[in-house]
Amino acid sequence: MLPLITTTALSVMLDGPPEGRPTLLDVRWRLGGPPGIEAYQAGHLPQAVYVDLDTALAAAPGEGGRHPLPEPGQLQAHLRAAGVHEGHPVVVYDDADGSIAARAWWLLRWAGHTEVAVLDGGFAAWQAEGKPVTTEVPVPEPGDIEVRPGQMPVLDADEAAELAREGVLLDARARPRYAGEVEPIDPAAGHIPGALNAPFSAHAAENGRWRTPDELKAHFAELGVTESGNVGAYCGSGVTASSVVLALEVAGHPGAALYTGSWSHWSRDPKRPVATGDAPG
């Protein structure tokens, strides 16, 4: 599957033969709430199963950051409970811009499941087009996915620091947090020295639809990403940075690395250097 799917293409798949209908995962989530399950209960795509970011797509907060990678067995159990089958297509969606759904997309790819796409425009686009929405909660047939971790590249803190100096490390947070002007959550304000600010909001237009591959390619070219460039991404806790990896793939740069602990991990250690201001440092 391509990494993004349109509402039209998804509608065709859902209306097609049962064997080709994708498993739908609703992963709506907002930093600071309200809980995504409330949005799901108010209305979701037919047959979509809610998957909680905090409990299914991450381990408990701790030394690894606010959203560490889940244990493979934990992830496999949640995905099977959601009806994910080995080799069967999966479509994930969030409210609109894909920045949260990308976490599920990335984890499935990391787990070795390649048949996964993010719904372009998310629930907002689906609903705006008058496509069917329901409050009925499905009971999926248990899946049989085998989680094979390590199929997407990851960075630890030392590797992220090295990449910021020798390649391109993109910080997906909004500029004020990158610059260290504000930090509402983590222990220190600022960014990894050498990292470039690349807010995830640049991937989508105001309507939540993703920009074209050519537009994204031009965007990343301005940040120094080349065809052969060594590139990785991080954010606050490893969630929205997943959408940078997704956007890079859409732009023709597959295989970007993700610093899964991100700033919530980096800033836990006061010995790690911190840069502030708009310059990489």
Side-chain angles (χ1 to χ4, degrees):
M1 297 181 74
L2 295 175
L4 293 174
I5 186 170
T6 66
T7 53
T8 300
L10 177 58
S11 293
V12 171
M13 291 183 73
L14 294 176
D15 290 339
E19 61 273 15
R21 294 172 191 165
T23 300
L24 299 179
L25 304 182
D26 183 315
V27 295
R28 284 178 282 179
W29 178 88
R30 291 179 182 272
L31 183 63
I37 186 64
E38 294 181 4
Y40 174 81
Q41 291 169 340
H44 52 266
L45 273 66
Q47 296 303 308
V49 177
Y50 181 71
V51 176
D52 183 63
L53 171 67
D54 292 318
T55 58
L57 303 181
E63 290 300 319
R66 285 186 280 110
H67 288 112
L69 288 182
E71 292 297 324
Q74 171 199 5
L75 178 62
Q76 180 171 288
H78 282 288
L79 293 175
R80 287 186 173 187
V84 178
H85 288 265
E86 189 76 18
H88 190 77
V90 176
V91 173
V92 295
Y93 69 88
D94 55 25
D95 283 319
D97 64 11
S99 60
I100 307 303
R103 168 70 173 216
W105 171 85
W106 186 91
L107 271 176
L108 281 159
R109 292 283 299 273
W110 174 79
H113 191 87
T114 58
E115 294 299 300
V116 56
V118 169
L119 178 60
D120 190 4
F123 182 78
W126 184 269
Q127 188 176 46
E129 294 173 4
K131 290 181 166 54
V133 171
T134 183
T135 58
E136 182 179 348
V137 177
V139 180
E141 175 189 341
D144 61 3
I145 183 174
E146 294 286 343
V147 168
R148 298 177 293 277
Q151 306 305 307
M152 291 285 276
V154 299
L155 302 170
D156 61 21
D158 291 339
E159 291 166 336
E162 181 179 1
L163 183 60
R165 294 303 185 192
E166 298 184 2
V168 179
L169 182 65
L170 303 176
D171 184 320
R173 298 172 300 163
R175 193 204 67 81
R177 287 187 70 190
Y178 170 85
E181 296 172 1
V182 297
E183 182 45 67
I185 306 171
D186 295 315
H191 59 268
I192 297 172
L196 302 173
N197 193 207
F200 70 88
S201 57
H203 305 153
E206 292 183 2
N207 63 1
R209 303 294 182 104
W210 280 63
R211 301 191 184 280
T212 68
D214 286 344
E215 289 173 333
L216 289 172
K217 186 167 186 170
H219 165 68
F220 289 118
E222 291 178 359
L223 292 166
V225 179
T226 64
E227 293 295 334
S228 58
N230 193 13
V231 60
Y234 77 98
C235 57
S237 67
V239 175
T240 56
S242 300
S243 72
V244 178
V245 177
L246 172 61
L248 283 162
E249 182 154 322
V250 172
H253 301 291
L258 177 67
Y259 178 16
T260 55
S262 285
W263 188 249
S264 66
H265 174 257
W266 181 277
S267 61
R268 290 179 66 88
D269 186 348
K271 296 179 182 178
R272 292 192 184 108
V274 172
T276 56
D278 290 332

